[in-house]
Amino acid sequence: MSEALTILHRDEHLVAVHKPAGLLVHRTALARGEREFLLQRLRDQLGQRVYPVHRLDRPTSGAMVFALSTAAAARLADAFTERRVHKRYLAVVRGVGPEHDWLDYPLREEDGSRPKAEMPAMEAMTEVKRLDSVELPVRVDRYPQSRYSLMQACPVTGRRHQIRRHLSQRGYPIIGDAKHGKGNHNRFFKERLGCPRLLLAAVGLDFEHPFEAYRLSLSCALDAPMSALFERFGWSGHLPVNRASLSAPNPEPAT
């Protein structure tokens, strides 16, 4: 029997949960042979139907919101589409990442329906900030030391694999990214540091409630492997916690 999902917030209109790394959100054409999905697990745990309104890649963990009615689903989906949801991620990358930067590289869709070169390039923007870094006295690549950074990433747009692709294009691939990263660093983290997963987690969501007069701010803790890595690297001060807080919506500007 699967372990119960961690509920970050629940009311009559929506529920927010911690999606484990490696779990698909719902059935897709790419899910052949898979038997477990987040949507079904959450539905069974709550005993009611749930409606997805945004997505997280399979290897990414963290905060996800589901609606509990079609009306709430429509409003929440609009908020994501219209970029009225502030999203915060933490990623461990190779190298010493930029202190602060806006990554503004158009991205082509990677859904497999057509060759990527035939897909139109779409606007994509991610704000990144280096929160911490570490240097290990270990030769993983061609240097005697290996440097890694803890990056905060806040995507403005929502393209597929946006954060992974943007950081890789900037020269700082996320550890554990088999497609856009580097195999020797991924193996080092898997075999020597106990982190066999993509080190990308959705740790924060902030948005206006679809029916109530407040903003909902969600914080999502990391799973055990990422938490242990943060402790090992001296980054424990950056560990998020599970929390949901309510606040008054932004006031209307004075006229």
Side-chain angles (χ1 to χ4, degrees), residues 88 90 201 203-204 219-222 227 230 236-243:
R88 178 174 176 261
L90 293 179
V203 298
S219 173
C220 185
L222 303 178
S227 295
F230 275 41
S236 56
H238 300 289
L239 283 169
V241 297
N242 290 330
R243 184 178 64 245

Side-chain angles (χ1 to χ4, degrees), residues 83-86 206-209 212-217 245-254:
R83 305 176 187 176
R84 291 185 279 113
V85 179
H86 182 265
D206 183 280
F207 56 93
E208 289 192 10
H209 192 279
E212 308 296 338
Y214 59 74
R215 290 192 70 84
L216 179 59
S217 296
S245 58
L246 313 178
S247 61
N250 295 329
E252 295 294 327

